[in-house]
Amino acid sequence: MPGQRDLEWGAGKKYSFNEPFHLPVIFCLPTGGVAGNTVPPNSFDKSKVLDVKPLRSLLPVFPEAPNGPPFLCAPPNGPFPTGFSPFFPFSGPQGTPLTPGLNQNLFNSTAMPIRSFRAEPPPASNGENVQSSNKRKSVGPSSVKKKVKRSNDSELALAALTNFKPGIIAAEKDDGNRELVENVLMRFEALRRKLSQMEDAKESHSEIFKRANLKAGNIMFTKGVRTNGKKRIGVVPGVEIGDIFFFRMELILIGLHSQSMAGIDFMPMKADIEGERVAISIVSSGGYEDDAEDPDVLVYTGQGGNASADKEASDQKLVRGNLALERSLHRANEVRVIRGFKDATHQTSKVYVYDGLYKVQESWMEKGKTGCNMFKYKLVRLPGQTGAFSTWKSIRKWKEDPSSRDGLILPDLTSGAESIPVSLVNEVDDEKGPAYFTYVSTVKYPKSFKLVQPSYGCNCRDACQAGNSNCSCIQKNGGDFPYITTGILACRMPMIFECGSSCPCFRNCKNRVLQTGFKVHFEVFKTRDKGWGLRSWDPIRAGTFICEYAGEVIEKIKEKADGDDGENNDYVFNTNRVYESFKWNHETESAEERSDTSEKFDIPSPLIISSKNSGNIARFMNHSCSPNVFWQPIMFEHNNEAFLHIAFFAKKHIPPMTELTYDYGIPQSDEAESNNMEHGKKKCLCGSLKCRGYFY
């Protein structure tokens, strides 16, 4: 046929195209097959070719890596945003080059369309190269130029966040401990919150900050901030039964479960032949037809076979994770079980709880709801372990029927003062409740201290939006919205300014977190040796608002008289005390960044609040030398007068039924002189490894 041209393609096969040009056909092929199987270089899978079309240009001469242009065809590890390299567990097999030399045999390497190549950008005036996508001369309207500039600003801000020291030695990356696990998780959360804060502010301008949890994990891996990287069977050092997590990335960073998507993690047994792998952990979170209601028995469904947008449901195969679980049945090795649930306070999210060690006791195959065969594995929990999922089941029952709670004294201690009831429970002795007090939900001032300058509310008509530089409340907060979209505190600040009564924004504006009250179901309970305490029925995410310290503002603490047991001082909060310092924000090596996220409070004058006669649930929080709650000063105006409030936030993830505690602080010299310091010292029973033995 006139104009018909033949093109040779591997293995002697010919493909013809009715085109009037002698042109090569360049295909964008994956470098690996499904499930890690590699397509031999001399074979050709027709199913991998999409939209076969000749390119109307000459065969290009490819530059040598690494100076060549980036691939437009994503490698098997998937596309990654600017500035991010692939990292475990998203990277391909070890030893696989991610950027092969482009001047190899054209059809034995990854290729890309010629139209994607651009001339190398000229060097910037300061001698540094700028990415071509941002360096090309803009020919569009000014809005396009602004978008490019904002993209550049976002990339610079993102790069600045990676400028921090790992602080973890090589040995700690393989084997961790409790302190190290908590440190890794807190640093991940701090970085994720910072990225989320930037994402909220740049939401309409940039894609760079999307999926903050994945980007935070990427940065952590790149910097080597992780622990328990060595796979193991059984207990993971530093991880306790009942620990909770809100992202799969957290499980990976601490070595509890190394699969980002797959529910079954496995490893080869020592001294075994290659390929003899056993399961070491599973995640059951509702993606398959698991029978997960029994707290001691889990019937787990194997992986694979689910229907998706481009394929129908199919029979599961005895490969990879399914085969590993089958081998664990015969090997009788321990398997870690992580259960996932919907987050009660964030319905679109999940929370994961580590439920301890199980063993595979039985396996079989049955028809699923789709009519396809599925593998089933019965796992039984090892006896003698601390309860985890069983606690969640009990709480679910209490929420449905509060009267089913053992030791319940009152279903709502607040008598309706709070939007969510607070239970009063005593399972220890016959005491019927704490001494009488009046429940109030906020602090009461006998007088307010006035602002140095008149304060005016913002002009936001609906709700204050992150990134709105015209919002006066955001300006007071240094240009950053103090809370991310979910209402979580982004970082500790010298002072947080919330919207006040003169602000026209809605009552549920995201800059009114303290004023809208807590969103967690609390329980005041009798402890065995510390009087009454406070805990939650719900899992609490780091940065969650707990409550404010309510009570009456007083000018000074009452001096102790002879015979006074100091009870008045047991219900006092004093901002002027010395508190143990700690770092909660994400910190970089940049001095400018550190100044923006200062954690040193800036309180205009000392504030003393007494909750002896009137107060809220905060009066029941006990002291700990290793607390899981911290306080933050918050100010908002009313009739041009400033009111200072003390808000409590979760320092880390807190599992349900864990006592909430904060550091009571140590009196300064002036307070110590008016109240005999030694006489006011009390024995500390917090049980922390860092317990100093006493508190005031």
Side-chain angles (χ1 to χ4, degrees), residues 492-598:
R492 296 171 75 203
M493 299 174 63
M495 177 71 70
I496 288 178
F497 295 88
E498 287 196 357
C499 293
S501 60
S502 63
C503 296
C505 54
F506 294 155
R507 173 68 180 171
N508 61 351
C509 169
K510 290 185 175 64
N511 196 32
R512 297 178 185 267
V513 169
L514 181 147
Q515 299 166 68
T516 54
F518 55 77
K519 304 295 188 294
V520 180
H521 193 135
F522 291 110
E523 171 183 283
V524 173
F525 71 105
K526 183 67 180 294
T527 68
R528 295 194 178 277
D529 50 11
K530 296 180 291 185
W532 297 90
L534 182 69
R535 60 190 177 194
S536 167
W537 287 7
D538 297 316
I540 300 176
R541 185 179 301 200
T544 297
F545 171 65
I546 303 297
C547 65
E548 79 164 291
Y549 196 99
E552 299 174 296
V553 174
I554 58 177
E555 293 187 6
K556 64 178 181 178
I557 299 175
K558 179 183 176 182
E559 294 186 12
K560 293 180 181 179
D562 292 339
D564 186 0
D565 60 3
E567 184 182 3
N568 287 331
N569 295 338
D570 289 344
Y571 297 96
V572 168
F573 182 91
N574 189 349
T575 62
N576 207 31
R577 286 192 169 191
V578 178
Y579 294 89
E580 188 78 22
S581 63
F582 67 95
K583 295 297 181 183
W584 194 70
N585 300 347
H586 174 67
E587 280 204 334
T588 68
E589 293 299 295
S590 166
E592 294 80 5
E593 183 71 18
R594 283 199 301 270
S595 64
D596 291 341
T597 57
S598 172

Side-chain angles (χ1 to χ4, degrees), residues 454-513:
S455 176
Y456 303 98
C458 61
N459 296 320
C460 305
R461 291 297 169 185
D462 298 327
C464 296
Q465 298 294 330
N468 180 8
S469 58
N470 295 322
C471 175
S472 59
C473 293
I474 291 181
Q475 292 173 4
K476 292 177 186 177
N477 287 299
D480 287 326
F481 208 65
Y483 310 104
I484 59 178
T485 302
T486 53
I488 299 295
L489 181 67
C491 58
R492 296 171 75 203
M493 299 174 63
M495 177 71 70
I496 288 178
F497 295 88
E498 287 196 357
C499 293
S501 60
S502 63
C503 296
C505 54
F506 294 155
R507 173 68 180 171
N508 61 351
C509 169
K510 290 185 175 64
N511 196 32
R512 297 178 185 267
V513 169

Side-chain angles (χ1 to χ4, degrees), residues 254-328:
I254 63 170
L256 187 61
H257 185 84
S258 67
Q259 302 295 322
S260 62
M261 297 293 290
I264 307 172
D265 194 10
F266 48 85
M267 65 172 286
M269 291 285 284
K270 289 183 178 180
D272 250 338
I273 63 173
E274 185 177 357
E276 282 290 311
R277 293 173 175 151
V278 295
I280 57 175
S281 62
I282 61 173
V283 176
S284 174
S285 57
Y288 289 86
E289 300 170 23
D290 298 342
D291 183 358
E293 287 304 307
D294 191 320
D296 295 314
V297 177
L298 170 64
V299 178
Y300 187 78
T301 303
Q303 63 186 21
N306 273 354
S308 62
D310 57 352
K311 68 175 183 179
E312 296 181 351
S314 60
D315 291 344
Q316 291 183 348
K317 296 178 174 58
L318 192 61
V319 295
R320 298 177 63 80
N322 296 339
L323 182 57
L325 275 173
E326 187 68 27
R327 286 178 176 146
S328 290

Side-chain angles (χ1 to χ4, degrees), residues 358-373:
Y358 285 64
K359 283 190 177 181
V360 184
Q361 191 178 81
E362 187 180 353
S363 70
W364 66 93
M365 179 176 280
E366 67 180 37
K367 293 285 185 182
K369 293 180 180 179
T370 61
C372 298
N373 291 323

Side-chain angles (χ1 to χ4, degrees), residues 351-410:
V351 56
Y352 302 91
V353 56
Y354 173 46
D355 197 33
L357 300 177
Y358 285 64
K359 283 190 177 181
V360 184
Q361 191 178 81
E362 187 180 353
S363 70
W364 66 93
M365 179 176 280
E366 67 180 37
K367 293 285 185 182
K369 293 180 180 179
T370 61
C372 298
N373 291 323
M374 297 186 302
F375 291 102
K376 294 287 185 175
Y377 302 92
K378 180 181 178 181
L379 292 95
V380 178
R381 195 168 192 260
L382 300 185
Q385 299 181 91
T386 304
F389 177 55
S390 57
T391 301
W392 291 65
K393 284 188 65 68
S394 297
I395 293 172
R396 192 185 306 169
K397 180 181 177 182
W398 301 339
K399 287 185 175 182
E400 293 172 355
D401 180 15
S403 63
S404 64
R405 175 73 171 102
D406 291 339
L408 183 70
I409 299 174
L410 287 174

